[in-house]
Amino acid sequence: MSQVARSKGRAGFITGFLVAPLALYLTFVIWPYVQTFGYSFTNWSGQSPTFDFVGTDNYATLLKDEVFRGALWHNLLLLVFVPVVTILLALFFAFMVNAGGRSGAGGVRGVGGSRVYKVVYFFPQVLSLAILSVLFGAIYRSDEGGLLNGFLTRIGLIDAQHPVEWLNEPDFVLWALLFVVVWHGVGFYLVLFSAAMQSVPKDIYEAALLDGAGRAQTFFKVTLPLLWDSVQTSAVYLGIAAMDMFVLVSTMTSGQFGGGPDHHSEVMSTVLMRNFLYFGKSGYACAMGVVMLALTMILSIVTLRATRRERIEF
Amino acid sequence: MAAQTTVIKAPGEDAAERTGGSGRPGERRKRDSEGMVLNVFSHGFLILWAIMIVLPLIWLALGSFKTDAQIGGSALSWPGNWHFDAFGRAWEKGIGGYFANTLIVLVFSVPLTMLLGSMAAYVLARYPFTGNRVIYYFFVSGAMFPVFLALVPLFFMVKRFDMLNTYQGLILVYVAYSMPFTVFFMHSFFRTLPTAIHEAAVIDGASDTRIFFQVMLPMAKPGLISVGIFNVLGQWNQYILPAVLMQPQTSGEPERYMLTQGLIQLQYQMGYETDLPVLFAGATIAIIPMLAVYLSFQRQIQAGLTSATLK
């Protein structure tokens, strides 16, 4: 086969292999993303085929929308607490599981049964958020039939006549949801950090041990700096998850697409969906989508900058 | 990369070694007692968290064997109805159908995701051509954007194709949204395969297409299994896309809810009908296949996760 024919055939092959995946991806992912920007400047209802361009009106309305501002504030709270709590717990557990056990001979290893812990802790990660919603809906029940209330009543911490309405208390609802996210996520990050810890050469630990470092010192002076890249990546992932929260809020809290009581658990995604599917304000919902994108971008950049450190090679 | 190098030892073994150590006795004992306190402390936390994961799930499953009154009464009551009737009712209430819907969609969407994702990743990983990098980043960047950004136009796009509340519509959307991760992962996998085999196949006169299907794809099997599992988990657990795209459009249309949607539906319904054992049974039915998949593939899942994130 001549060189020309060969390269022609190759071009055909490359195109052939790329056409279908690209077409699908462009149609259902990229093009809708792009369209959102356009629609966000219109008063489109979604039902009627006609709409007008209203410039930045939607964005101006957003700024004044009390519900959306509250939702934004809740997202920001979650943005701080979800990553911090999850990462701290996961780091602690990962350290215990991988380097917590010690023998007199100076080896570094996990505590006993570490494999079992890893398997059990990761399990919530494969459960769907819908299952979490059913499970924690039952756990947080507002009567004694809820696992949490039932347990707290049994040990005498709360009065059986006045159980706590976890998901209806304005002050508790967001934290109750936060706990679900943490419960769900810790195992994943434990496995992630474990992998990073295991790729650290053992002699680094042994050297630290010989120099007389305790467990806490080993953790802060050796493990954490070597893991910084993974921690950073995790913070971004968790931040993105905290920007979403749609399934849990919309299914576990009261109100159309959740957000109750009285908007105390409202997040941006639930406000967006309510405006889109319930109020029929598609253009306005698109503007919210754009704001969410902007915040996600800012969040990623800020997290990566703020946590930037000198990279340690090993 | 050594993924599984943790030495597993029973706690007892540890303690025996520790007390059996020689050397400076005083020094050692001091550190040992500090170690013991820490050990009890940390083991306590590890066990506590494990209980916090396992106990609620067992409690949920037990709920399927309670009566509605028992569930509303006290959380810590022991089941009094050791029959599977709640499971039967959950199945009739639609869990069986939702289960089937999810299976129908996944049977097509996962293989299609793997095939199209691998094809794109393979070409991008091994054939230099103009625009290669652009297309690669184009694919991968999709993972960064929140899906909410696309929802409104996506709904109307699928509507225009007349594919709302159809299996094929959801299948195509699932495939499209699984592309970024699949291409990213398989791209790095195909890059690690040796070029010598490819050259040998070319000398033997195999066409590019044939090399891909008969040489490269079989060699990429470990990668395919990892991505496959993640796609199965991700698409099985998807909620937001079916919630928007799989709603009956007219009153006569059948419900083609996915299992996740169906569960939420059941949650609302059973709240009104006060038949909570059905809800608990439904959730248990939804958990069991995940538990089975997870326990049989947990090694691949953890190894896959490791290689995907530590590149």
Side-chain angles (χ1 to χ4, degrees):
Chain A
M1 207 192 296
S2 76
Q3 199 62 40
V4 178
R6 172 134 219 122
S7 74
K8 248 189 190 163
R10 181 142 295 174
F13 166 74
I14 292 172
T15 322
F17 263 38
L18 281 176
V19 160
L22 259 182
L24 263 184
Y25 183 63
L26 279 172
T27 313
F28 291 113
V29 183
I30 297 297
W31 183 229
Y33 279 154
V34 175
Q35 278 181 302
T36 298
F37 289 95
Y39 287 138
S40 74
F41 297 107
T42 68
N43 63 1
W44 187 35
S45 71
Q47 300 305 317
S48 65
T50 57
F51 51 80
D52 299 316
F53 278 90
V54 292
T56 53
D57 278 10
N58 285 330
Y59 293 94
T61 318
L62 259 188
L63 280 179
K64 283 178 265 166
D65 187 334
E66 287 291 332
V67 174
F68 187 76
R69 272 170 34 186
L72 180 61
W73 169 242
H74 294 147
N75 272 121
L76 291 177
L77 274 180
L78 292 166
L79 210 54
V80 172
F81 283 99
V82 168
V84 168
V85 177
T86 312
I87 288 176
L88 283 182
L89 274 174
L91 270 177
F92 170 70
F93 290 138
F95 185 69
M96 291 323 300
V97 163
N98 289 288
R102 282 202 169 170
S103 70
V108 176
R109 67 161 74 95
V111 295
S114 55
R115 260 204 77 70
V116 178
Y117 285 125
K118 272 199 224 172
V119 172
V120 171
Y121 283 22
F122 191 83
F123 183 59
Q125 195 64 38
V126 305
L127 299 177
S128 64
L129 291 171
I131 293 176
L132 291 196
S133 164
V134 172
L135 175 63
F136 279 89
I139 288 174
Y140 288 139
R141 262 178 77 117
S142 54
D143 56 24
E144 224 189 309
L147 186 58
L148 192 55
N149 275 329
F151 177 72
L152 291 176
T153 314
R154 178 63 63 93
I155 60 172
L157 273 182
I158 55 172
D159 177 9
Q161 300 309 311
H162 304 96
V164 185
E165 293 194 44
W166 300 103
L167 295 173
N168 279 317
E169 292 281 348
D171 294 337
F172 286 151
V173 60
L174 209 57
W175 307 108
L177 293 170
L178 174 86
F179 179 78
V180 182
V181 181
V182 172
W183 186 86
H184 180 238
V186 163
F188 179 90
Y189 293 96
L190 159 77
V191 172
L192 195 76
F193 294 147
S194 290
M197 281 181 191
Q198 276 165 11
S199 66
V200 174
K202 288 267 178 270
D203 37 330
I204 296 185
Y205 279 116
E206 273 151 26
L209 214 70
L210 281 178
D211 291 344
R215 262 194 267 216
Q217 263 179 315
T218 317
F219 178 77
F220 285 108
K221 299 265 166 69
V222 181
T223 311
L224 194 56
L226 290 174
L227 247 63
W228 201 248
D229 270 3
S230 310
V231 172
Q232 211 181 22
T233 317
S234 309
V236 174
Y237 284 164
L238 282 160
I240 290 172
M243 292 291 283
D244 183 331
M245 291 295 290
F246 175 75
V247 182
L248 290 180
V249 175
S250 70
T251 58
M252 287 177 70
T253 61
S254 56
Q256 194 70 34
F257 292 102
D262 196 24
H263 302 303
H264 274 93
S265 64
E266 203 76 75
V267 286
M268 288 187 286
S269 54
T270 54
V271 185
L272 186 155
M273 285 293 267
R274 192 179 308 126
N275 277 284
F276 168 36
L277 290 177
Y278 194 62
F279 296 145
K281 294 185 188 170
S282 296
Y284 192 44
C286 282
M288 291 183 197
V290 173
V291 172
M292 284 179 77
L293 171 74
L295 288 171
T296 309
M297 291 300 191
I298 294 170
L299 149 84
S300 306
I301 294 165
V302 167
T303 312
L304 292 176
R305 292 242 156 182
T307 57
R308 188 160 59 187
R309 288 193 176 183
E310 214 169 304
R311 202 193 155 98
I312 299 161
E313 302 282 347
F314 54 82
Chain B
M1 191 183 321
Q4 307 288 351
T5 50
T6 326
V7 183
I8 305 158
K9 281 208 172 186
E13 251 178 295
D14 255 351
E17 264 179 52
R18 202 182 291 117
T19 45
S22 56
R24 288 159 298 168
E27 177 91 353
R28 169 131 278 144
R29 203 167 304 134
K30 182 164 161 266
R31 198 191 275 173
D32 280 350
S33 67
E34 177 210 26
M36 279 305 270
V37 173
L38 260 175
N39 246 349
V40 171
F41 179 74
S42 55
H43 262 291
F45 268 112
L46 281 171
I47 292 168
L48 182 71
W49 193 263
I51 290 174
M52 275 166 57
I53 285 171
V54 175
L55 200 69
L57 292 168
I58 295 176
W59 175 76
L60 185 82
L62 283 177
S64 330
F65 300 102
K66 292 180 184 174
T67 59
D68 197 68
Q70 267 186 315
I71 289 177
S74 167
L76 306 177
S77 65
W78 193 247
N81 173 35
W82 286 107
H83 297 288
F84 286 93
D85 52 330
F87 289 89
R89 289 204 300 282
W91 199 260
E92 277 163 30
K93 283 281 175 200
I95 287 293
Y98 305 143
F99 209 102
N101 289 340
T102 311
L103 273 182
I104 291 169
V105 169
L106 256 68
V107 160
F108 292 98
S109 64
V110 172
L112 200 59
T113 304
M114 304 303 294
L115 178 71
L116 294 183
S118 304
M119 280 163 57
Y122 175 69
V123 167
L124 292 172
R126 301 191 72 108
Y127 292 83
F129 58 90
T130 346
N132 183 313
R133 298 309 282 168
V134 176
I135 297 179
Y136 173 70
Y137 283 118
F138 198 55
F139 267 120
V140 174
S141 63
M144 286 188 55
F145 302 125
V147 67
F148 294 95
L149 185 66
L151 277 186
V152 180
L154 179 68
F155 175 84
F156 291 103
M157 179 71 78
V158 177
K159 189 177 183 179
R160 204 168 308 150
F161 290 131
D162 218 5
M163 291 200 290
L164 281 177
N165 199 25
T166 63
Y167 296 124
Q168 58 271 34
L170 195 64
I171 290 168
L172 292 180
V173 169
Y174 274 4
V175 174
Y177 280 84
S178 307
M179 272 306 137
F181 175 70
T182 311
V183 169
F184 169 72
F185 193 103
M186 290 313 293
H187 184 266
S188 60
F189 205 89
F190 281 124
R191 283 189 91 91
T192 61
L193 296 182
T195 45
I197 296 172
H198 187 255
E199 278 157 17
V202 171
I203 291 166
D204 286 346
S207 70
D208 287 302
T209 317
R210 196 160 159 189
I211 293 173
F212 173 72
F213 283 106
Q214 295 194 336
V215 180
M216 290 305 181
L217 219 46
M219 285 207 313
K221 207 171 147 195
L224 286 174
I225 291 175
S226 291
V227 191
I229 295 167
F230 280 109
N231 280 324
V232 168
L233 290 175
Q235 296 182 6
W236 181 274
N237 290 337
Q238 181 59 247
Y239 177 79
I240 183 90
L241 289 172
V244 173
L245 300 176
M246 300 301 271
Q247 300 281 351
Q249 298 302 303
T250 52
S251 53
E253 242 185 314
E255 282 179 358
R256 295 201 183 91
Y257 289 152
M258 297 296 108
L259 187 57
T260 45
Q261 268 176 295
L263 261 186
I264 298 299
Q265 179 82 359
L266 198 66
Q267 190 175 22
Y268 287 126
Q269 217 178 329
M270 291 304 106
Y272 289 119
E273 290 181 24
T274 58
D275 193 358
L276 284 166
V278 167
L279 176 63
F280 284 35
T284 309
I285 294 174
I287 289 173
I288 286 169
M290 296 329 282
L291 186 64
V293 169
Y294 172 59
L295 287 180
S296 21
F297 289 101
Q298 48 97 2
R299 266 167 204 282
Q300 284 92 332
I301 291 175
Q302 299 205 350
L305 181 83
T306 309
S307 55
T309 47
L310 291 178
K311 277 274 145 59

